[in-house]
Amino acid sequence: MNKLWKELRGWIGSIALAFILTLIIGVFIVQPTKVSGHSMDPTLHDGQRVYISKLPHTFGYTPKYGDIVIVDSRTTRKRSLLDDIKDHPLFHLFEKNNEEHIIFIKRVIGKAGDELRFQDGHVYRNGEKLDEPYLYEAMHYSSNETVIVPDNFVFVMGDNRNHSQDSRAIGSIPLDHVLGSKIGAK
């Protein structure tokens, strides 16, 4: 009985260590996620697996123009370490299909201080029309308003501009809501 208990304790310890390491890696270093929807067509497709570097979020880096990032769209609430832990895929293994989509995959279009305009189917950043060869189709959105991206925020948009809920609808994204940058896809 003592030998069995020792063996069982060893297995439990190994499983607990594996769980903790998986959690640490997924929260702070790299995490897989799945594309849900068509807002990033043709770059990313519905159901496609992507790998996200969590290092920008962990160390507070500002993403570069054109980076594909995952963001928490609940911009009116403060994020915490507990949110990062609860977002880990291990906690969603046995979850039914959650209809509340709060994590978006988008492209960084503007950073702090940038002036953005949307005219004639194009985005203008600081007066210059953006060259965006990755777009799915011409954008139908136009606005007479100019958007100034606040400090510690980014402005994100989907590549399928006509079918994307992005910063045009939810506003600029606080940097602490940028959860990581895409590093690979399957």
Side-chain angles (χ1 to χ4, degrees):
M1 185 68 165
N2 196 18
K3 187 177 180 181
L4 179 63
W5 175 245
K6 213 175 195 181
E7 182 77 22
L8 187 58
R9 212 172 63 204
W11 275 99
I12 291 171
S14 295
I15 291 170
L17 180 62
F19 179 81
I20 291 168
L21 285 174
T22 301
L23 192 61
I24 289 170
I25 289 168
V27 169
F28 298 108
I29 300 172
V30 68
Q31 179 179 333
T33 193
K34 194 175 195 179
V35 177
S36 178
H38 297 279
S39 72
M40 285 300 291
D41 285 345
T43 308
L44 300 173
H45 307 287
D46 185 40
Q48 184 176 4
R49 276 252 177 245
V50 294
Y51 297 93
I52 303 298
S53 170
K54 300 294 290 249
L55 295 175
H57 180 65
T58 301
F59 294 110
Y61 303 151
T62 300
K64 298 183 295 235
Y65 294 121
D67 280 358
I68 295 175
V69 295
I70 61 169
V71 299
D72 180 341
S73 66
R74 301 170 296 177
T75 59
T76 58
R77 66 186 283 283
K78 192 88 172 132
R79 278 193 61 89
S80 68
L81 177 61
L82 184 59
D83 288 320
D84 292 335
I85 293 169
K86 289 190 319 190
D87 288 343
H88 193 282
L90 281 176
F91 295 106
H92 300 281
L93 283 176
F94 304 106
E95 200 175 73
K96 290 184 179 173
N97 194 7
N98 186 357
E99 292 301 315
E100 181 190 22
H101 295 290
I102 57 168
I103 304 299
F104 293 169
I105 299 178
K106 303 295 177 193
R107 188 179 298 274
V108 175
I109 301 301
K111 299 194 293 188
D114 285 339
E115 181 180 291
L116 302 172
R117 287 184 301 117
F118 309 95
Q119 294 177 319
D120 305 320
H122 299 285
V123 177
Y124 294 83
R125 180 174 56 224
N126 302 323
E128 295 196 22
K129 183 173 117 179
L130 298 185
D131 178 29
E132 299 181 290
Y134 43 77
L135 292 182
Y136 186 68
E137 61 189 1
M139 180 174 67
H140 301 304
Y141 178 80
S142 284
S143 174
N144 292 328
E145 293 182 35
T146 298
V147 174
I148 306 290
V149 182
D151 285 342
N152 299 311
F153 282 75
V154 291
F155 193 93
V156 298
M157 296 176 77
D159 290 355
N160 188 358
R161 300 280 161 84
N162 298 320
H163 302 284
S164 176
Q165 184 175 3
D166 50 38
S167 287
R168 292 172 291 173
I170 63 173
S172 295
I173 306 293
L175 285 177
D176 68 339
H177 282 57
V178 177
L179 307 179
S181 297
K182 179 185 151 309
I183 55 174
K186 258 173 116 174

